[in-house]
Amino acid sequence: MARPKPWEVDAELWAVIEPLLPKVERRTRHPGRKRHPDRLVFQGILFVLHTGISWEHLPQELGFGSGMTCWRRLAEWTEAGVWPRLHEVLLAELRSANALDFSRAAVDGSHIRALKGEPRPDEALSTAAEPAANII
């Protein structure tokens, strides 16, 4: 059996993800184009994040919608707080299945600012009479 691609979302995983996505009602007066299915757009987002290609180069032939559609939906879902909720739900499922293995985990605080000593004073203001002339 062929191994699934990292961006493919099976029915079991989609059943977890779909309830977390905001429901968007279609306008009745001027409905416009029908929205691309959330599941395909989600897979498009995963494809771009996995492969590292730019949004504009997402191949239309894959059926994920345009790169701009995927990018907009990513922004929409980020604004709605989907990603932290999804992270919590998936972690809870892994914990309940006893499927988390922390034996190879590493904690790294390098992205957190470490405050040492006294706080630095504010930057000194310029003592020049007036700004230098623009040479451009």
Side-chain angles (χ1 to χ4, degrees), residues 47-65:
F47 181 85
V48 169
L49 296 177
H50 182 76
T51 61
I53 66 169
S54 63
W55 294 104
E56 62 206 24
H57 294 125
L58 180 64
Q60 290 281 323
E61 301 81 31
L62 295 175
F64 300 141

Side-chain angles (χ1 to χ4, degrees), residues 2 7 11 21 30 48 54 63 99 118:
W7 53 85
L21 302 178
H30 300 289
V48 169
S54 63
E118 294 184 34

